[in-house]
Amino acid sequence: DTAVSQTPKYLVTQMGNDKSIKCEQNLGHDTMYWYKQDSKKFLKIMFSYNNKELIINETVPNRFSPKSPDKAHLNLHINSLELGDSAVYFCASRTSGNNEQFFGPGTRLTVL
Amino acid sequence: AQSVTQLDSQVPVFEEAPVELRCNYSSSVSVYLFWYVQYPNQGLQLLLKYLSGSTLVKGINGFEAEFNKSQTSFHLRKPSVHISDTAEYFCAVSEQGAQKLVFGQGTRLTINP
């Protein structure tokens, strides 16, 4: 009965590769997010989708491309991975009204 | 634009001692306020939230926070901590009607036996 799930939990890859992270929520929320958490634990919003439409697109390199096939899924594709992309990526979804967000367990990406 | 400052990056305390983690925010409009906890190698879990009404908010695991509008603060407290409270704590603010949640830098709470 996991609310927000992400796959994979760990991802180790070489520089220059392309990889995807998947997120699914079963809470019936309309809005989903991707966050990046760096080594100092700082959480930075990257993207947000509402009902499959992009509503937030922070200053993120265009190597990162989110895709929302339906409102329960939000995937993140990263092209030409760089060392600086190493981080933990969190997916979240939101209730309407007060912006309480529910987080997935995170995907730890390591670029070698 | 909204912003959040957590005044302490690390807080070490002894087991069974009280603790306060400080959070100040900046916004020109009404806000919702949240505290999240992140245990090692896990995602973020909501501890408590202030939406409206009573300024003293009680959350899970014995934590509470007080919203102080005049001081734009939302400090988190627990009267007696346990080893299991060792974690990273994040304060977050959302302006009413906004799509974004803005997080503070986090406070690492370390409980010593």
Side-chain angles (χ1 to χ4, degrees):
Chain A
D1 61 342
T2 304
V4 183
S5 59
Q6 294 179 230
T7 54
K9 189 167 174 62
Y10 300 96
L11 187 51
V12 181
T13 188
Q14 300 286 334
M15 263 197 317
N17 284 350
D18 303 338
K19 290 292 177 188
S20 292
I21 306 171
K22 295 187 176 184
C23 177
E24 177 181 0
Q25 55 95 4
N26 62 7
L27 297 166
H29 294 162
D30 289 335
T31 308
M32 296 181 72
Y33 300 81
W34 277 112
Y35 288 87
K36 180 180 180 181
Q37 186 176 47
D38 62 23
S39 57
K40 293 189 171 149
K41 300 290 188 181
F42 183 65
L43 270 162
K44 184 173 167 26
I45 188 169
M46 300 173 70
F47 302 104
S48 177
Y49 270 75
N50 179 271
N51 253 328
K52 303 193 294 175
E53 286 195 29
L54 183 65
I55 57 170
I56 295 175
N57 186 351
E58 294 291 299
T59 310
V60 176
N62 57 16
R63 298 181 294 103
F64 289 78
S65 53
K67 279 196 171 53
S68 182
D70 56 60
K71 72 175 193 177
H73 295 85
L74 180 61
N75 303 323
L76 183 65
H77 187 76
I78 316 170
N79 288 328
S80 304
L81 277 155
E82 299 178 358
L83 293 176
D85 297 333
S86 295
V88 181
Y89 292 84
F90 286 102
C91 177
S93 70
R94 187 192 90 151
T95 60
S96 59
N98 62 42
N99 219 349
E100 177 181 346
Q101 295 186 18
F102 295 78
F103 284 79
T107 295
R108 183 175 293 276
L109 171 64
T110 304
V111 182
L112 304 174
Chain B
Q2 58 197 336
S3 66
V4 180
T5 302
Q6 290 182 241
L7 296 156
D8 306 296
S9 59
Q10 295 188 59
V11 173
V13 295
F14 287 107
E15 197 173 12
E16 298 183 9
V19 70
E20 177 179 82
L21 306 184
R22 297 180 294 167
C23 172
N24 284 89
Y25 69 93
S26 172
S27 175
S28 55
V29 300
S30 297
V31 296
Y32 301 124
L33 293 156
F34 305 84
W35 275 99
Y36 283 85
V37 60
Q38 184 180 24
Y39 298 107
N41 298 313
Q42 294 187 29
L44 278 75
Q45 179 183 357
L46 182 70
L47 268 181
L48 49 77
K49 60 190 176 191
Y50 171 79
L51 305 179
S52 65
S54 173
T55 56
L56 183 62
V57 179
K58 293 193 184 296
I60 62 170
N61 302 341
F63 285 93
E64 64 180 32
E66 184 145 24
F67 170 55
N68 187 319
K69 189 174 181 180
S70 61
Q71 299 197 3
T72 60
S73 68
F74 191 54
H75 300 333
L76 181 70
R77 301 186 186 101
K78 185 169 182 178
S80 175
V81 294
H82 302 286
I83 293 281
S84 59
D85 293 323
T86 296
E88 193 88 20
Y89 290 79
F90 292 93
C91 181
V93 64
S94 171
E95 292 181 340
Q96 291 185 20
Q99 302 283 354
K100 263 206 263 193
L101 199 56
V102 175
F103 284 86
Q105 305 91 321
T107 297
R108 178 168 297 176
L109 177 63
T110 305
I111 311 300
N112 299 307

